[in-house]
């Protein structure tokens, strides 16, 4: 009887592991697209790596492609607000009564998914509950051994990422975690509009100039650029951007 029960448990585990196997890339695509079409309010914790400063943020999505991030911790960032309406990113700094705006440059999801498909083996299973939500956990195993593995856990209903962990040499670091998750019917439009006041200083940050290649970049910078064609570990150049500053202009490679 014990052997039979153990066999059933193993069979169930195998079924769970393969339940999402054929659609892992589709789940990931939905996760990348989810923030544009979902009305949600989350409290999330982020850190760049294990032991790094934890940043607690209230994240709000209006389901129309707009997002708002309000910094809760650490104290030095408390009250800072970042609004992205798909066209521009607005930073609100209450202490200095300053609003900064710059053009929004979203990364192509098709580009990202193509790279992921080339450089990772994907699988997915039913995940643990996070903030009371049923989840799907995506395992991303790199083909280059020097790169860390990723575990991306998304909400099963909305596909919004709730937890992201990096695993390298057996050590796991949680880069993103979700403390609370709500799905209101709608969000006030005022949340995604910068406040206006005669005392507020508005600063418009010039957008970088996107160029096709290093030949085009050479027209803007005081040096002859060179862009590597073969970057190791599966990395690729997504775009070339020139930050204009006269003789101090620089070429930025978005990887």
């Amino acid at each position: 009887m014990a052997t039979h029960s153990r066999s059933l448990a193993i069979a169930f585990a195998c079924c769970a592991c393969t339940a999402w196997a054929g659609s892992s890339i589709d789940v990931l695509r939905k996760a990348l697209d989810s923030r544009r079409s979902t009305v949600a309010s989350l409290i999330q914790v982020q850190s760049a790596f294990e032991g790094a400063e934890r940043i607690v943020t209230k994240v709000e999505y209006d389901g129309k492609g707009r997002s708002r991030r309000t910094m809760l911790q650490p104290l030095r960032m408390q009250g800072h607000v970042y609004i992205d309406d798909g066209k521009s990113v607005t930073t609100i700094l209450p202490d200095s009564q300053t609003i900064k705006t710059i053009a929004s440059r979203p990364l192509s999801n098709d580009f990202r998914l193509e790279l992921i498909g080339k450089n990772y083996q994907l699988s997915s299973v039913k995940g643990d509950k996070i903030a009371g939500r049923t989840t799907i956990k995506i395992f991303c195993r790199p083909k280059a051994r020097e790169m860390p593995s990723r575990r991306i856990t998304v909400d099963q209903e909305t596909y919004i990422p709730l937890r992201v962990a990096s695993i390298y040499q057996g050590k796991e670091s949680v880069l993103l975690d979700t403390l609370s998750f709500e799905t209101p019917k709608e969000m006030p439009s005022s949340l995604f509009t910068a406040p206006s006041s005669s005392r507020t200083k508005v600063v418009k940050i010039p957008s970088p100039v996107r160029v096709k290649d290093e030949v085009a970049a050479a027209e803007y910078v005081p040096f002859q650029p060179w862009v590597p064609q073969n970057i190791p570990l599966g990395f690729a150049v997504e775009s070339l951007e020139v930050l204009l500053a006269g003789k101090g202009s620089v070429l930025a490679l978005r990887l």
Side-chain angles (χ1 to χ4, degrees):
M1 184 67 177
T3 302
H4 179 66
S5 298
R6 189 161 54 248
S7 298
L8 287 176
I10 293 172
F12 177 79
C14 290
C15 288
C17 288
T18 57
W20 307 97
S23 58
S24 296
I25 195 71
D26 294 328
V27 173
L28 200 53
R29 179 182 291 278
K30 290 178 181 178
L32 293 174
D33 291 336
S34 62
R35 302 167 200 182
R36 301 174 184 172
S37 57
T38 304
V39 181
S41 176
L42 306 87
I43 302 294
Q44 295 190 314
V45 182
Q46 292 178 281
S47 59
F49 50 86
E50 184 67 27
E53 182 177 46
R54 287 160 48 94
I55 298 175
V56 183
T57 310
K58 182 176 184 180
V59 186
E60 295 165 296
Y61 303 109
D62 72 344
K64 301 175 183 178
R66 297 184 297 182
S67 65
R68 176 188 175 103
R69 297 176 181 272
T70 305
M71 299 298 153
L72 305 179
Q73 294 179 7
L75 185 60
R76 61 182 177 81
M77 298 176 67
Q78 194 173 80
H80 291 193
V81 176
Y82 303 87
I83 298 173
D84 188 343
D85 63 5
K87 296 179 181 178
S88 62
V89 177
T90 300
T91 303
I92 303 172
L93 306 173
D95 292 343
S96 61
Q97 293 189 322
T98 302
I99 294 176
K100 298 181 179 181
T101 63
I102 189 171
S104 179
R105 291 289 182 88
L107 184 64
S108 166
N109 286 344
D110 289 338
F111 180 84
R112 296 176 69 181
L113 289 165
E114 182 181 356
L115 279 182
I116 290 168
K118 288 179 179 178
N119 297 292
Y120 288 86
Q121 292 179 338
L122 302 180
S123 61
S124 41
V125 300
K126 185 176 179 62
D128 300 326
K129 286 249 182 178
I130 298 176
R133 306 290 294 187
T134 302
T135 67
I136 303 169
K137 183 184 293 185
I138 308 169
F139 294 92
C140 307
R141 297 176 178 86
K143 296 179 181 178
R145 290 181 297 175
E146 298 86 349
M147 294 294 293
S149 298
R150 288 291 179 101
R151 291 177 186 166
I152 303 171
T153 306
V154 305
D155 179 53
Q156 185 171 316
E157 180 182 346
T158 66
Y159 294 95
I160 287 181
L162 301 181
R163 181 176 294 157
V164 177
S166 174
I167 303 93
Y168 186 64
Q169 295 182 343
K171 187 174 183 180
E172 178 174 322
S173 301
V174 178
L175 309 180
L176 172 73
D177 208 358
T178 301
L179 305 181
S180 69
F181 186 104
E182 297 178 358
T183 53
K185 290 184 178 180
E186 60 181 9
M187 287 286 185
S189 184
S190 58
L191 285 176
F192 306 94
T193 304
S196 58
S197 170
S198 58
R199 294 179 299 174
T200 302
K201 180 182 179 182
V202 179
V203 179
K204 291 188 177 181
I205 302 173
S207 300
V209 177
R210 284 200 174 185
V211 292
K212 182 179 179 181
D213 51 33
E214 56 262 54
V215 175
E219 299 180 10
Y220 296 94
V221 295
F223 59 90
Q224 179 58 53
W226 175 77
V227 179
Q229 298 302 310
N230 296 308
I231 306 176
L233 307 180
F235 283 89
V237 177
E238 189 268 335
S239 66
L240 304 178
E241 299 179 353
V242 178
L243 308 177
L244 296 175
K247 292 183 178 179
S249 296
V250 300
L251 175 63
L253 278 66
R254 189 184 287 261
L255 295 178

